[in-house]
Amino acid sequence: MSCTVYQYFGTGGHLLYVGITERGVKRAHEHAGSKAWWKLATGCTLEHFDTREEALEREAYLIRTYRPPYNQQHNPERSLPIEQRTGMNNRNRPARPSAPGMKERMRAYYNATPTERASMACAMCQERPPVNGPCCVACQTARRERTTAA
């Protein structure tokens, strides 16, 4: 069974919350109905993992590193009042893709078949990735984060 790590972002790209789910959209609807931070969310990213253990490691890494204000577990700043945590500027926040045309490139990637994806250019840098490695700094950083978290 696959498991997904999701990150919700607010305006300015500030990371609000990180979580994991095996229930996809159903989990998003639960957050929408019960979490105060939901109204602040303007976007999210998803990462899919083959095992729950991999997803749990990634979630813990993201929370410890980027300290999203609405996460309690794994968050070194959990003892601070929420007003103080939300006032911080997320100086360590991960970069969100925001280059011109990024949304369309990402949509095309996710609508492509696995065979088509293998020959597509990188959505971030628009370079064709080499056979055994990342193609740009953003891709290198993402790969390094995945291997460090493991």
Side-chain angles (χ1 to χ4, degrees):
M1 180 184 301
S2 70
C3 197
T4 301
V5 174
Y6 54 89
Q7 300 176 61
Y8 282 101
F9 296 89
T11 57
H14 296 290
L15 183 59
L16 298 172
Y17 187 81
V18 175
I20 67 168
T21 186
E22 294 171 354
R23 297 177 290 132
V25 174
K26 185 174 183 179
R27 185 66 177 137
H29 287 289
E30 291 169 357
H31 284 314
S34 66
K35 301 298 180 187
W37 55 261
W38 182 258
K39 295 181 282 188
L40 304 172
T42 59
C44 76
T45 61
L46 305 172
E47 293 178 80
H48 305 290
F49 295 88
D50 292 330
T51 67
R52 184 165 179 82
E53 291 74 29
E54 290 175 309
L56 286 168
E57 287 177 22
R58 178 67 172 158
E59 177 196 36
Y61 169 79
L62 290 169
I63 295 169
R64 282 192 309 270
T65 303
Y66 302 115
R67 303 172 184 189
Y70 292 96
N71 281 97
Q72 291 291 315
Q73 186 177 14
H74 308 296
N75 192 338
E77 295 169 348
R78 69 180 163 266
S79 62
L80 298 174
I82 189 66
E83 295 81 17
Q84 191 172 352
R85 283 184 277 147
T86 55
M88 296 179 174
N89 71 2
N90 272 186
R91 62 193 169 278
N92 293 330
R93 75 176 190 273
R96 282 181 69 196
S98 61
M102 176 67 75
K103 187 182 250 183
E104 292 77 20
R105 291 193 302 273
M106 294 298 286
R107 185 175 293 124
Y109 176 82
Y110 288 112
N111 287 330
T113 67
T115 305
E116 292 169 332
R117 287 181 187 176
S119 63
M120 292 178 79
C122 173
M124 291 189 195
C125 69
Q126 300 181 27
E127 295 289 327
R128 191 164 296 228
V131 176
N132 291 326
C135 48
C136 66
V137 173
C139 297
Q140 289 171 0
T141 302
R143 177 179 276 193
R144 188 170 34 251
E145 282 184 355
R146 283 193 302 270
T147 57
T148 304

